[in-house]
Amino acid sequence: MSPLEPFGARLRRAMDARGPLCVGIDPHAALLTGWGLDDDVAGLERFALTVVEALGESTAVFKPQSAFFERFGSRGVAVLERAVAEARARGALVLMDAKRGDIGSTMAAYAATYLDKDSPLFSDALTVSPYLGFGSLRPALDAAEVSGAGVFVLALTSNPEGAEVQRAALADGRSVAQAVLDHVAAENAGASPLGSVGAVVGATLGEARADLAVNGPLLAPGVGAQGATAADLRGVFGAALPNVLPSVSRDVLRHGPDAGALRAAAARHVDEVRAVLG
Ligand SMILES: O=C(O)c1cc(=O)[nH]c(=O)n1[C@@H]1O[C@H](COP(=O)(O)O)[C@@H](O)[C@H]1O
């Protein structure tokens, strides 16, 4: 299959056309129950497809959280495959949130799973963890480039426990997270309009205390259920704001199953982010 246009270009266009928002598809048991669904594979399928059908033509990016599908075993993964295909068929980009990271030779198998265009779980982008060393991600970075896909590298995560590792100082004085961000920037050098290697930086951080000029997208989870608001984005991202893709899961999903209510919730988030971008 022929490669896609580079992910960074596709993402920039999607954010311009549909608004800077990633909607997470996180089928928590409590959300299934709240929607009047059973916490089983049929409920999972109804939930995921309802989100995709309601928002697939208006949302730039969906981020299915793989664990919520994997918990139902192979039938859950089959639902995930279907949700990915339905989302992509509606013109949305799919960022698979699987946070993969392993030694390079195993990373190649993860790359074959998510970033090879012939794989049933092929996604436009994948979240990866660099904490086995940034170089261990090379097979994913290479596979993404071949396919026209993207990779989002965890840098400064939204959870308070992340700082213990990510703020640790290296011998050269940089934080571990800054070293990750510098690697991301090197991958994106010269790319236009936007590199295809993103970084994950939580919207909950207050301030980033890091150089975020990575010439790639900055996924910002933490808006909504984790307490951050669109108004917090300026303080965290500053001059990097135009490259920020805020990600919201529960604070959109809790408005379902009504399609209109889901659309209104997502549109509210887009409006709030656009107001911050000015
Ligand atoms: O990579 C992620 O998506 C991610 C990184 C991070 O630092 N924090 C974070 O919350 N996430 C994910 O973003 C989603 C947040 O969900 P809500 O808090 O419901 O919006 C979950 O799927 C998390 O796994």
Side-chain angles (χ1 to χ4, degrees):
M1 262 192 249
S2 55
L4 297 162
E5 187 187 0
F7 174 74
R10 294 190 290 128
L11 176 62
R12 173 59 80 207
R13 203 168 47 241
M15 286 168 66
D16 288 348
R18 296 182 169 205
L21 183 68
C22 169
V23 173
I25 306 179
D26 295 29
H28 292 257
L31 282 169
L32 296 186
T33 308
W35 282 31
L37 297 168
D38 291 331
D39 184 24
D40 61 12
V41 178
L44 175 78
E45 180 162 42
R46 193 63 259 139
F47 184 94
L49 295 182
T50 298
V51 176
V52 169
E53 285 160 10
L55 301 176
E57 264 130 45
S58 55
T59 294
V61 184
F62 284 119
K63 184 174 71 68
Q65 218 310 321
S66 182
F68 290 109
F69 295 82
E70 290 172 41
R71 73 191 177 96
F72 293 103
S74 59
R75 292 194 302 147
V77 175
V79 173
L80 179 59
E81 278 178 30
R82 174 141 186 236
V84 170
E86 297 282 347
R88 299 191 75 237
R90 286 168 172 75
L93 299 175
V94 173
L95 165 54
M96 179 65 74
D97 189 6
K99 294 191 183 65
R100 296 309 193 210
D102 208 317
I103 62 166
S105 50
T106 304
M107 197 65 211
Y110 284 129
T113 303
Y114 300 107
L115 298 169
D116 179 330
K117 276 197 77 192
D118 293 327
S119 165
L121 281 171
F122 173 74
S123 301
D124 297 284
L126 172 70
T127 54
V128 297
S129 171
Y131 293 112
L132 271 75
F134 192 88
S136 67
L137 301 178
R138 182 54 54 199
L141 296 165
D142 289 349
E145 189 174 357
V146 167
S147 302
V151 166
F152 281 83
V153 183
L154 299 180
L156 286 161
T157 56
S158 66
N159 58 320
E161 303 87 355
E164 173 186 342
V165 172
Q166 297 154 16
R167 298 285 187 193
L170 297 173
D172 64 10
R174 289 179 302 166
S175 67
V176 169
Q178 188 61 60
V180 169
L181 290 161
D182 291 348
H183 278 297
V184 170
E187 295 298 320
N188 289 326
S192 176
L194 190 65
S196 297
V197 182
V200 180
V201 176
T204 50
L205 297 174
E207 51 177 335
R209 291 187 284 129
D211 176 5
L212 300 176
V214 299
N215 191 31
L218 297 165
L219 184 77
V223 173
Q226 294 177 51
T229 65
D232 295 328
L233 296 172
R234 184 166 294 286
V236 178
F237 293 97
L241 260 184
N243 292 347
V244 173
L245 177 64
S247 185
V248 181
S249 304
R250 283 166 290 180
D251 204 40
V252 170
L253 301 172
R254 68 186 173 82
H255 295 278
D258 181 72
L262 284 166
R263 276 195 284 271
R268 256 193 320 274
H269 280 288
V270 169
D271 288 347
E272 286 174 17
V273 175
R274 280 197 166 132
V276 171
L277 285 168

